[in-house]
Coordinates of all heavy atoms in Angstrom, one line a residue:
M1 N 0.8 -1.2 0.0 CA 0.0 0.0 0.0 C 0.9 1.2 0.0 O 2.0 1.2 0.4 CB -0.9 0.0 1.2 CG -2.0 -1.0 1.1 SD -3.2 -0.8 2.5 CE -2.3 -1.7 3.7
Q2 N 0.3 2.3 -0.5 CA 1.0 3.6 -0.5 C 0.1 4.7 0.0 O -1.2 4.6 -0.2 CB 1.5 3.9 -1.9 CG 2.3 5.2 -1.9 CD 3.3 5.2 -3.0 OE1 3.3 4.4 -3.9 NE2 4.1 6.3 -3.0
I3 N 0.7 5.7 0.6 CA -0.1 6.9 1.0 C -0.2 7.8 -0.2 O 0.7 8.1 -0.9 CB 0.6 7.6 2.2 CG1 0.6 6.7 3.4 CG2 -0.1 8.9 2.6 CD1 1.4 7.2 4.6
A4 N -1.4 8.4 -0.3 CA -1.7 9.4 -1.4 C -2.7 10.4 -0.9 O -3.4 10.2 0.1 CB -2.2 8.6 -2.6
K5 N -2.7 11.5 -1.6 CA -3.7 12.6 -1.3 C -4.7 12.6 -2.5 O -4.3 12.6 -3.7 CB -3.0 13.9 -1.2 CG -3.9 15.1 -0.9 CD -3.0 16.4 -0.8 CE -3.9 17.5 -0.4 NZ -3.1 18.8 -0.3
V6 N -6.0 12.7 -2.1 CA -7.0 12.8 -3.1 C -7.0 14.2 -3.7 O -7.2 15.2 -3.0 CB -8.4 12.5 -2.5 CG1 -9.5 12.6 -3.6 CG2 -8.4 11.1 -1.9
T7 N -6.7 14.3 -5.0 CA -6.7 15.6 -5.7 C -7.8 15.9 -6.6 O -8.0 17.1 -7.0 CB -5.3 15.8 -6.4 OG1 -5.3 14.8 -7.4 CG2 -4.1 15.7 -5.5
G8 N -8.6 14.9 -6.9 CA -9.7 15.1 -7.8 C -10.5 13.9 -8.1 O -10.3 12.8 -7.4
T9 N -11.4 14.0 -9.0 CA -12.2 12.8 -9.4 C -12.1 12.6 -10.9 O -11.7 13.5 -11.6 CB -13.7 13.0 -9.1 OG1 -14.2 14.2 -9.8 CG2 -13.9 13.2 -7.6
V10 N -12.4 11.4 -11.3 CA -12.4 11.0 -12.7 C -13.8 10.5 -13.1 O -14.3 9.6 -12.4 CB -11.3 9.9 -13.0 CG1 -11.4 9.5 -14.5 CG2 -9.9 10.4 -12.6
V11 N -14.4 11.1 -14.0 CA -15.8 10.8 -14.4 C -15.7 10.1 -15.8 O -15.1 10.7 -16.7 CB -16.7 12.0 -14.4 CG1 -18.1 11.6 -14.9 CG2 -16.7 12.6 -13.0
S12 N -16.4 9.0 -15.9 CA -16.5 8.3 -17.2 C -17.9 7.9 -17.5 O -18.4 7.1 -16.7 CB -15.5 7.1 -17.2 OG -15.7 6.4 -18.4
T13 N -18.5 8.4 -18.5 CA -19.8 8.1 -18.9 C -19.9 6.6 -19.4 O -20.8 5.9 -19.1 CB -20.4 9.0 -19.9 OG1 -20.3 10.4 -19.4 CG2 -21.9 8.7 -20.2
Y14 N -19.0 6.3 -20.3 CA -18.9 4.9 -20.9 C -17.8 4.2 -20.3 O -16.6 4.6 -20.3 CB -18.8 5.0 -22.4 CG -19.9 5.7 -23.0 CD1 -19.8 7.1 -23.4 CD2 -21.2 5.1 -23.2 CE1 -20.9 7.7 -24.0 CE2 -22.2 5.8 -23.8 CZ -22.1 7.1 -24.2 OH -23.1 7.7 -24.7
K15 N -18.1 3.0 -19.7 CA -17.0 2.2 -19.1 C -17.5 0.7 -19.2 O -18.6 0.4 -19.5 CB -16.7 2.6 -17.7 CG -17.9 2.6 -16.8 CD -17.6 3.2 -15.4 CE -18.8 3.8 -14.8 NZ -18.6 5.2 -14.4
E16 N -16.5 -0.2 -18.8 CA -16.8 -1.6 -18.7 C -18.0 -1.8 -17.8 O -18.1 -1.1 -16.7 CB -15.6 -2.3 -18.0 CG -15.8 -3.6 -17.4 CD -16.2 -4.7 -18.3 OE1 -15.8 -4.7 -19.5 OE2 -17.0 -5.5 -17.9
P17 N -19.0 -2.5 -18.2 CA -20.3 -2.7 -17.4 C -20.1 -3.1 -15.9 O -20.8 -2.6 -15.1 CB -21.0 -3.7 -18.2 CG -20.6 -3.6 -19.6 CD -19.1 -3.3 -19.5
T18 N -19.1 -3.8 -15.6 CA -18.9 -4.2 -14.2 C -18.4 -3.1 -13.4 O -18.4 -3.2 -12.1 CB -17.8 -5.4 -14.1 OG1 -16.6 -4.9 -14.6 CG2 -18.3 -6.6 -14.8
L19 N -18.0 -2.0 -14.0 CA -17.6 -0.8 -13.2 C -18.7 0.2 -13.0 O -18.5 1.3 -12.4 CB -16.4 -0.1 -14.0 CG -15.1 -0.9 -14.1 CD1 -14.1 -0.1 -14.9 CD2 -14.5 -1.1 -12.7
A20 N -19.9 -0.1 -13.4 CA -21.0 0.8 -13.2 C -21.2 1.1 -11.7 O -21.1 0.2 -10.9 CB -22.3 0.2 -13.7
G21 N -21.3 2.3 -11.4 CA -21.5 2.7 -10.0 C -20.2 2.9 -9.2 O -20.2 3.3 -8.1
T22 N -19.1 2.7 -9.9 CA -17.8 2.8 -9.2 C -17.3 4.3 -9.3 O -17.3 4.9 -10.4 CB -16.7 1.9 -9.9 OG1 -17.1 0.6 -9.8 CG2 -15.4 2.0 -9.2
K23 N -16.9 4.9 -8.2 CA -16.4 6.2 -8.1 C -14.9 6.1 -8.3 O -14.2 5.3 -7.6 CB -16.7 6.9 -6.8 CG -16.2 8.3 -6.6 CD -16.6 8.8 -5.2 CE -15.8 10.0 -4.9 NZ -16.1 10.4 -3.5
F24 N -14.3 7.0 -9.2 CA -12.9 7.0 -9.4 C -12.3 8.3 -8.8 O -12.8 9.4 -9.0 CB -12.5 6.9 -10.9 CG -12.9 5.5 -11.4 CD1 -14.0 5.4 -12.2 CD2 -12.1 4.4 -11.2 CE1 -14.4 4.2 -12.8 CE2 -12.5 3.2 -11.7 CZ -13.6 3.1 -12.5
L25 N -11.1 8.2 -8.2 CA -10.5 9.3 -7.6 C -9.1 9.5 -8.3 O -8.4 8.5 -8.6 CB -10.3 9.1 -6.1 CG -11.5 9.0 -5.3 CD1 -11.2 8.7 -3.8 CD2 -12.3 10.3 -5.4
L26 N -8.7 10.7 -8.4 CA -7.3 11.1 -8.9 C -6.5 11.3 -7.6 O -6.8 12.2 -6.8 CB -7.3 12.3 -9.8 CG -6.0 12.7 -10.3 CD1 -5.4 11.6 -11.2 CD2 -6.1 14.0 -11.1
L27 N -5.4 10.5 -7.5 CA -4.6 10.5 -6.3 C -3.2 11.0 -6.7 O -2.7 10.7 -7.7 CB -4.4 9.1 -5.7 CG -5.7 8.4 -5.4 CD1 -5.4 7.0 -4.9 CD2 -6.6 9.1 -4.4
Q28 N -2.6 11.8 -5.8 CA -1.2 12.2 -5.9 C -0.4 11.5 -4.8 O -0.8 11.6 -3.6 CB -1.0 13.7 -5.8 CG 0.4 14.1 -6.2 CD 0.6 15.6 -6.3 OE1 -0.3 16.4 -6.1 NE2 1.8 16.0 -6.7
L29 N 0.6 10.7 -5.2 CA 1.3 9.9 -4.2 C 2.2 10.8 -3.3 O 2.6 11.9 -3.7 CB 2.2 8.9 -5.0 CG 1.4 8.0 -5.9 CD1 2.4 7.0 -6.6 CD2 0.4 7.2 -5.2
I30 N 2.4 10.3 -2.1 CA 3.1 11.1 -1.0 C 4.3 10.3 -0.6 O 4.2 9.0 -0.4 CB 2.2 11.3 0.2 CG1 1.0 12.2 -0.3 CG2 2.9 12.0 1.3 CD1 -0.1 12.4 0.8
D31 N 5.5 10.9 -0.4 CA 6.7 10.2 0.1 C 6.7 10.1 1.6 O 5.8 10.6 2.3 CB 7.9 10.9 -0.5 CG 8.3 12.2 0.1 OD1 7.7 12.6 1.1 OD2 9.1 12.9 -0.5
A32 N 7.8 9.5 2.1 CA 7.9 9.3 3.6 C 8.1 10.6 4.4 O 7.9 10.5 5.6 CB 9.1 8.3 3.9
N33 N 8.3 11.7 3.7 CA 8.5 13.0 4.4 C 7.2 13.8 4.3 O 7.1 14.9 4.7 CB 9.6 13.8 3.8 CG 10.9 13.1 4.0 OD1 11.2 12.6 5.1 ND2 11.7 13.0 3.0
G34 N 6.1 13.2 3.7 CA 4.9 13.9 3.6 C 4.8 14.9 2.4 O 3.9 15.7 2.3
Q35 N 5.8 14.8 1.5 CA 5.9 15.6 0.3 C 5.1 15.0 -0.8 O 5.2 13.7 -1.0 CB 7.3 15.9 -0.1 CG 8.1 16.6 1.0 CD 7.6 17.9 1.4 OE1 7.3 18.7 0.5 NE2 7.3 18.1 2.7
L36 N 4.4 15.8 -1.6 CA 3.7 15.3 -2.8 C 4.7 14.9 -3.8 O 5.6 15.7 -4.1 CB 2.7 16.3 -3.3 CG 1.6 16.6 -2.3 CD1 0.8 17.8 -2.9 CD2 0.7 15.4 -2.2
L37 N 4.6 13.7 -4.4 CA 5.4 13.3 -5.5 C 4.8 13.7 -6.8 O 3.6 13.9 -6.9 CB 5.6 11.8 -5.5 CG 6.3 11.2 -4.2 CD1 6.1 9.7 -4.1 CD2 7.7 11.6 -4.2
P38 N 5.6 13.8 -7.9 CA 5.0 14.1 -9.2 C 4.3 13.0 -9.9 O 4.1 13.0 -11.1 CB 6.2 14.6 -10.0 CG 7.3 13.8 -9.4 CD 7.0 13.6 -7.9
E39 N 3.9 12.0 -9.1 CA 3.2 10.8 -9.6 C 1.7 10.8 -9.2 O 1.4 11.1 -8.1 CB 3.9 9.5 -9.1 CG 5.3 9.4 -9.4 CD 6.0 8.3 -8.7 OE1 5.4 7.2 -8.7 OE2 7.1 8.5 -8.2
Y40 N 0.9 10.4 -10.2 CA -0.6 10.3 -10.0 C -1.1 8.9 -10.2 O -0.4 8.2 -11.0 CB -1.3 11.3 -10.9 CG -1.0 12.8 -10.5 CD1 0.1 13.4 -11.0 CD2 -1.9 13.5 -9.7 CE1 0.4 14.8 -10.6 CE2 -1.7 14.8 -9.4 CZ -0.5 15.4 -9.8 OH -0.3 16.7 -9.5
E41 N -2.2 8.6 -9.7 CA -2.8 7.3 -9.8 C -4.3 7.5 -9.8 O -4.8 8.4 -9.1 CB -2.4 6.4 -8.7 CG -3.0 5.1 -8.7 CD -2.0 4.0 -9.2 OE1 -0.9 4.1 -8.9 OE2 -2.5 3.2 -9.9
V42 N -5.0 6.8 -10.7 CA -6.5 6.7 -10.6 C -6.8 5.5 -9.9 O -6.3 4.4 -10.2 CB -7.1 6.8 -12.1 CG1 -8.6 6.6 -12.0 CG2 -6.7 8.0 -12.8
A43 N -7.7 5.6 -8.9 CA -8.1 4.4 -8.1 C -9.6 4.4 -7.9 O -10.2 5.5 -7.8 CB -7.4 4.5 -6.8
A44 N -10.1 3.2 -7.8 CA -11.5 3.1 -7.4 C -11.7 3.4 -5.9 O -10.8 3.0 -5.1 CB -12.0 1.6 -7.6
D45 N -12.7 4.1 -5.6 CA -12.9 4.5 -4.2 C -13.9 3.5 -3.5 O -15.0 3.4 -3.9 CB -13.6 5.9 -4.1 CG -13.8 6.4 -2.7 OD1 -13.2 5.9 -1.8 OD2 -14.6 7.3 -2.5
T46 N -13.4 2.8 -2.5 CA -14.2 1.8 -1.8 C -14.6 2.3 -0.4 O -15.3 1.6 0.3 CB -13.4 0.5 -1.6 OG1 -12.3 0.7 -0.8 CG2 -13.0 0.0 -3.0
V47 N -14.2 3.5 0.0 CA -14.4 4.0 1.4 C -15.1 5.4 1.5 O -15.3 5.9 2.6 CB -13.1 4.0 2.2 CG1 -12.6 2.6 2.4 CG2 -12.1 4.9 1.6
G48 N -15.4 6.0 0.4 CA -16.0 7.3 0.4 C -15.1 8.5 0.7 O -15.5 9.4 1.4
A49 N -13.9 8.4 0.2 CA -12.9 9.5 0.5 C -13.3 10.7 -0.3 O -13.9 10.7 -1.3 CB -11.5 9.0 0.0
G50 N -12.8 11.9 0.2 CA -13.0 13.2 -0.4 C -11.8 13.9 -0.8 O -10.7 13.5 -0.4
I51 N -12.0 15.0 -1.5 CA -10.9 15.8 -2.0 C -10.0 16.3 -0.8 O -10.6 16.7 0.3 CB -11.4 17.0 -2.8 CG1 -12.3 16.6 -3.9 CG2 -10.3 17.9 -3.2 CD1 -11.5 15.8 -5.0
E52 N -8.7 16.3 -0.9 CA -7.7 16.8 0.1 C -7.4 15.7 1.2 O -6.5 15.9 2.0 CB -8.1 18.1 0.7 CG -8.3 19.2 -0.2 CD -7.0 19.6 -0.9 OE1 -5.9 19.7 -0.2 OE2 -7.0 19.9 -2.1
E53 N -8.2 14.7 1.3 CA -7.9 13.7 2.3 C -6.7 12.8 1.9 O -6.5 12.6 0.7 CB -9.1 12.7 2.5 CG -10.3 13.5 3.2 CD -11.4 12.5 3.6 OE1 -12.0 11.9 2.7 OE2 -11.7 12.4 4.8
W54 N -6.0 12.4 2.9 CA -4.9 11.4 2.7 C -5.5 10.0 2.9 O -6.4 9.8 3.7 CB -3.8 11.6 3.8 CG -2.9 12.7 3.5 CD1 -3.2 13.9 2.9 CD2 -1.6 12.8 4.0 NE1 -2.1 14.7 2.9 CE2 -1.0 14.0 3.6 CE3 -0.7 11.9 4.7 CZ2 0.2 14.4 3.8 CZ3 0.6 12.3 5.0 CH2 1.1 13.6 4.5
V55 N -5.1 9.1 2.0 CA -5.7 7.8 1.9 C -4.6 6.7 1.7 O -3.5 7.0 1.4 CB -6.7 7.7 0.8 CG1 -7.9 8.6 1.0 CG2 -6.1 7.9 -0.6
L56 N -5.0 5.5 2.0 CA -4.2 4.3 1.6 C -4.7 3.7 0.3 O -5.9 3.5 0.2 CB -4.2 3.3 2.7 CG -3.4 3.6 4.0 CD1 -3.6 2.4 5.0 CD2 -1.9 3.8 3.7
V57 N -3.8 3.5 -0.6 CA -4.2 2.9 -1.9 C -3.5 1.6 -2.0 O -2.3 1.4 -1.7 CB -3.8 3.9 -3.1 CG1 -2.4 4.2 -3.2 CG2 -4.3 3.3 -4.4
S58 N -4.3 0.6 -2.4 CA -3.8 -0.8 -2.7 C -3.7 -1.0 -4.2 O -4.7 -0.5 -4.9 CB -4.7 -1.8 -2.0 OG -4.3 -3.1 -2.3
R59 N -2.7 -1.6 -4.6 CA -2.5 -1.8 -6.1 C -2.5 -3.3 -6.4 O -2.2 -4.2 -5.6 CB -1.3 -1.2 -6.6 CG -1.2 0.3 -6.4 CD 0.0 0.8 -7.2 NE 0.2 2.2 -7.0 CZ 1.2 2.8 -6.6 NH1 2.3 2.1 -6.1 NH2 1.3 4.1 -6.6
G60 N -2.7 -3.6 -7.7 CA -2.6 -5.0 -8.2 C -3.7 -5.9 -7.7 O -4.8 -5.5 -7.4
S61 N -3.3 -7.2 -7.5 CA -4.3 -8.1 -7.1 C -4.9 -7.8 -5.7 O -6.1 -8.1 -5.5 CB -3.7 -9.5 -7.1 OG -2.7 -9.6 -6.1
G62 N -4.2 -7.1 -4.8 CA -4.7 -6.7 -3.5 C -5.9 -5.7 -3.7 O -6.8 -5.7 -2.8
S63 N -5.9 -5.0 -4.7 CA -7.0 -4.0 -4.9 C -8.3 -4.7 -5.3 O -9.4 -4.1 -5.1 CB -6.6 -3.0 -6.0 OG -6.5 -3.6 -7.2
R64 N -8.2 -5.9 -5.7 CA -9.4 -6.7 -6.1 C -9.9 -7.5 -4.9 O -10.9 -8.3 -5.1 CB -9.2 -7.5 -7.3 CG -9.1 -6.7 -8.6 CD -8.9 -7.5 -9.8 NE -7.7 -8.2 -9.9 CZ -6.5 -7.7 -10.2 NH1 -6.4 -6.4 -10.4 NH2 -5.4 -8.4 -10.2
Q65 N -9.3 -7.4 -3.8 CA -9.7 -8.1 -2.6 C -10.8 -7.4 -1.8 O -11.3 -7.9 -0.8 CB -8.5 -8.4 -1.7 CG -7.5 -9.3 -2.3 CD -8.0 -10.6 -2.9 OE1 -8.6 -11.3 -2.2 NE2 -7.6 -10.9 -4.1
V66 N -11.1 -6.2 -2.2 CA -12.2 -5.4 -1.5 C -13.6 -5.9 -1.9 O -13.7 -6.6 -3.0 CB -12.1 -3.9 -1.8 CG1 -10.7 -3.4 -1.3 CG2 -12.2 -3.6 -3.3
R67 N -14.5 -5.6 -1.1 CA -15.9 -6.1 -1.3 C -16.4 -5.8 -2.7 O -16.3 -4.7 -3.3 CB -16.8 -5.4 -0.3 CG -18.2 -5.8 -0.3 CD -19.0 -5.1 0.7 NE -18.2 -3.9 1.1 CZ -18.6 -2.9 1.8 NH1 -19.8 -2.9 2.2 NH2 -17.8 -1.9 2.1
D68 N -17.0 -6.8 -3.4 CA -17.6 -6.7 -4.7 C -16.6 -6.3 -5.8 O -17.1 -5.8 -6.8 CB -18.8 -5.8 -4.7 CG -19.8 -6.2 -3.7 OD1 -20.1 -7.4 -3.5 OD2 -20.5 -5.3 -3.0
A69 N -15.3 -6.5 -5.7 CA -14.4 -6.1 -6.7 C -13.7 -7.2 -7.4 O -12.9 -7.0 -8.3 CB -13.4 -5.1 -6.1
E70 N -13.9 -8.4 -6.9 CA -13.1 -9.5 -7.4 C -13.2 -9.8 -8.9 O -12.3 -10.4 -9.5 CB -13.3 -10.8 -6.6 CG -14.8 -11.3 -6.6 CD -15.7 -10.7 -5.6 OE1 -15.2 -9.9 -4.8 OE2 -16.9 -11.0 -5.6
H71 N -14.3 -9.4 -9.5 CA -14.4 -9.6 -10.9 C -14.5 -8.3 -11.7 O -15.0 -8.3 -12.8 CB -15.7 -10.4 -11.2 CG -15.7 -11.8 -10.5 ND1 -14.8 -12.8 -11.0 CD2 -16.4 -12.3 -9.5 CE1 -15.0 -13.8 -10.2 NE2 -15.9 -13.6 -9.3
R72 N -13.9 -7.3 -11.1 CA -13.9 -6.0 -11.8 C -12.4 -5.7 -12.3 O -11.5 -6.1 -11.6 CB -14.3 -4.9 -10.9 CG -15.8 -4.9 -10.5 CD -16.1 -3.8 -9.6 NE -17.5 -3.9 -9.3 CZ -18.2 -2.9 -8.7 NH1 -17.6 -1.8 -8.3 NH2 -19.5 -3.0 -8.4
P73 N -12.3 -5.0 -13.4 CA -10.9 -4.7 -13.9 C -10.3 -3.5 -13.1 O -10.1 -2.4 -13.7 CB -11.1 -4.4 -15.3 CG -12.5 -3.9 -15.4 CD -13.3 -4.6 -14.3
I74 N -10.0 -3.7 -11.8 CA -9.5 -2.6 -11.0 C -8.0 -3.0 -10.7 O -7.7 -4.1 -10.2 CB -10.3 -2.5 -9.7 CG1 -11.7 -2.0 -10.0 CG2 -9.6 -1.6 -8.7 CD1 -12.6 -2.1 -8.8
D75 N -7.2 -2.0 -10.9 CA -5.7 -2.2 -10.6 C -5.3 -1.4 -9.4 O -4.2 -1.6 -8.9 CB -4.9 -1.7 -11.8 CG -3.5 -2.1 -11.7 OD1 -3.2 -3.3 -11.3 OD2 -2.6 -1.3 -11.9
A76 N -6.2 -0.4 -8.9 CA -5.8 0.4 -7.7 C -7.1 0.7 -7.0 O -8.1 1.0 -7.7 CB -5.1 1.6 -8.1
A77 N -7.1 0.6 -5.7 CA -8.3 0.9 -4.9 C -8.0 1.7 -3.6 O -7.0 1.3 -2.9 CB -9.1 -0.4 -4.5
V78 N -8.7 2.7 -3.3 CA -8.6 3.4 -2.0 C -9.3 2.5 -1.0 O -10.4 2.2 -1.1 CB -9.2 4.8 -2.1 CG1 -9.2 5.4 -0.7 CG2 -8.6 5.7 -3.1
V79 N -8.5 2.1 0.0 CA -9.0 1.1 1.0 C -9.1 1.7 2.4 O -9.6 1.0 3.3 CB -8.1 -0.2 1.0 CG1 -8.2 -0.9 -0.3 CG2 -6.7 0.1 1.4
A80 N -8.6 2.9 2.6 CA -8.7 3.5 3.9 C -8.5 5.0 3.8 O -7.8 5.5 3.0 CB -7.6 3.0 4.9
I81 N -9.2 5.8 4.7 CA -9.0 7.2 4.9 C -8.1 7.4 6.1 O -8.4 6.8 7.2 CB -10.3 7.9 5.1 CG1 -11.2 7.7 3.8 CG2 -10.1 9.4 5.3 CD1 -12.6 8.2 4.0
I82 N -7.0 8.1 6.0 CA -6.0 8.2 7.1 C -6.4 9.3 8.1 O -6.8 10.4 7.7 CB -4.6 8.5 6.5 CG1 -4.2 7.3 5.6 CG2 -3.6 8.8 7.6 CD1 -2.9 7.6 4.8
D83 N -6.3 8.9 9.4 CA -6.6 9.9 10.4 C -5.3 10.6 10.8 O -5.2 11.8 11.0 CB -7.2 9.2 11.7 CG -8.6 8.7 11.4 OD1 -9.4 9.4 10.8 OD2 -8.9 7.6 11.8
T84 N -4.2 9.8 11.0 CA -2.9 10.3 11.4 C -1.8 9.5 10.8 O -2.0 8.3 10.6 CB -2.7 10.4 12.9 OG1 -2.7 9.1 13.5 CG2 -3.7 11.3 13.6
V85 N -0.6 10.1 10.6 CA 0.6 9.4 10.2 C 1.7 10.0 11.2 O 1.9 11.2 11.3 CB 1.0 9.7 8.8 CG1 2.3 9.1 8.4 CG2 -0.1 9.3 7.8
T86 N 2.4 9.0 11.8 CA 3.4 9.4 12.8 C 4.7 8.6 12.4 O 4.6 7.4 12.1 CB 3.0 9.0 14.2 OG1 1.8 9.7 14.5 CG2 4.1 9.5 15.2
I87 N 5.8 9.4 12.4 CA 7.1 8.7 12.1 C 8.0 9.0 13.4 O 8.2 10.2 13.7 CB 7.8 9.3 10.9 CG1 6.9 8.9 9.6 CG2 9.2 8.7 10.7 CD1 7.5 9.4 8.3
G88 N 8.3 7.9 14.1 CA 9.0 8.1 15.3 C 8.1 8.8 16.3 O 7.0 8.3 16.6
R89 N 8.5 10.0 16.8 CA 7.6 10.7 17.7 C 7.0 12.0 17.0 O 6.4 12.8 17.6 CB 8.4 11.2 18.9 CG 8.9 10.0 19.8 CD 9.7 10.5 20.9 NE 10.2 9.4 21.6 CZ 10.2 9.2 22.9 NH1 9.6 10.2 23.7 NH2 10.6 8.2 23.5
E90 N 7.3 12.1 15.7 CA 6.8 13.3 15.0 C 5.6 12.9 14.2 O 5.5 12.0 13.4 CB 7.9 13.7 14.0 CG 7.6 15.0 13.2 CD 8.7 15.4 12.3 OE1 9.8 15.1 12.6 OE2 8.4 16.1 11.3
M91 N 4.6 13.8 14.4 CA 3.3 13.7 13.6 C 3.5 14.3 12.2 O 3.8 15.5 12.1 CB 2.2 14.3 14.3 CG 0.9 14.3 13.5 SD -0.5 13.4 14.1 CE -0.3 13.0 15.8
L92 N 3.4 13.5 11.2 CA 3.6 13.9 9.9 C 2.3 14.5 9.3 O 2.3 15.4 8.5 CB 4.1 12.7 9.0 CG 4.4 13.0 7.6 CD1 5.6 13.9 7.5 CD2 4.8 11.7 6.9
Y93 N 1.2 13.9 9.7 CA -0.2 14.3 9.2 C -1.2 14.0 10.2 O -1.2 13.0 10.9 CB -0.5 13.5 7.9 CG -1.9 13.7 7.4 CD1 -2.3 14.8 6.7 CD2 -2.8 12.7 7.7 CE1 -3.6 14.9 6.3 CE2 -4.2 12.8 7.3 CZ -4.6 13.9 6.6 OH -5.8 14.1 6.2
S94 N -2.2 14.9 10.3 CA -3.4 14.7 11.1 C -4.6 15.2 10.3 O -4.6 16.3 9.8 CB -3.3 15.4 12.4 OG -4.5 15.3 13.1
K95 N -5.6 14.4 10.2 CA -6.8 14.8 9.4 C -7.4 16.0 10.1 O -8.0 16.8 9.4 CB -7.8 13.6 9.4 CG -9.0 13.9 8.5 CD -9.9 12.7 8.4 CE -11.1 13.0 7.6 NZ -11.9 11.8 7.4
S96 N -7.3 16.1 11.4 CA -7.9 17.2 12.1 C -7.1 18.5 11.8 O -7.6 19.6 12.2 CB -8.0 17.0 13.6 OG -6.7 16.9 14.1
G97 N -5.9 18.4 11.3 CA -5.1 19.6 11.0 C -4.3 20.1 12.2 O -3.5 21.0 12.1
T98 N -4.4 19.4 13.4 CA -3.6 19.8 14.5 C -2.4 18.8 14.7 O -2.6 17.6 14.6 CB -4.4 19.8 15.8 OG1 -5.0 18.5 16.0 CG2 -5.5 20.8 15.8
Y99 N -1.3 19.3 14.9 CA -0.1 18.5 15.0 C 0.5 18.7 16.3 O 0.7 19.7 16.9 CB 1.0 18.9 13.9 CG 0.6 18.6 12.5 CD1 -0.5 19.3 12.0 CD2 1.2 17.7 11.8 CE1 -0.9 19.0 10.7 CE2 0.9 17.5 10.5 CZ -0.2 18.1 9.9 OH -0.6 17.9 8.6

């Protein structure tokens, strides 16, 4: 899994029928220092994440282990909304905005 920030949504009117009802998010990956990387990923949202939230994204076969996704052509899925990230004794991120 990797930490990412939700930066937008991806809307597709026409798609594989098994993807009907799937919400897609545009994610920007985050490094171990909390810095945004120049890499983006489109992922299926399985947890109701919103813009600006930090999330955990699962890729590959692990992304198809989420509920009702085993027969969908999904290569990345948002599997958690992050509350806090701590490295050692230092808080790197807090959803509440207080460090």
Side-chain angles (χ1 to χ4, degrees):
M1 287 187 278
Q2 184 156 6
I3 296 174
K5 181 178 182 179
V6 179
T7 59
T9 59
V10 177
V11 177
S12 175
T13 304
Y14 298 102
K15 58 186 153 234
E16 160 64 34
T18 60
L19 294 174
T22 303
K23 177 182 168 187
F24 294 103
L25 298 175
L26 181 63
L27 307 176
Q28 188 169 5
L29 303 179
I30 297 173
D31 70 15
N33 297 314
Q35 301 300 308
L36 295 171
L37 296 169
E39 301 171 44
Y40 291 84
E41 178 99 42
V42 175
D45 181 20
T46 65
V47 294
I51 303 295
E52 301 294 316
E53 289 188 300
W54 282 28
V55 296
L56 285 178
V57 60
S58 178
R59 294 188 183 126
S61 62
S63 65
R64 288 183 296 282
Q65 300 303 312
V66 298
R67 182 181 19 168
D68 301 324
E70 60 274 358
H71 298 293
R72 293 181 180 190
I74 294 172
D75 190 48
V78 173
V79 296
I81 299 170
I82 296 172
D83 294 316
T84 62
V85 176
T86 305
I87 296 179
R89 295 178 186 230
E90 183 180 335
M91 174 115 16
L92 186 63
Y93 168 80
S94 173
K95 183 175 179 176
S96 67
T98 57
Y99 295 64

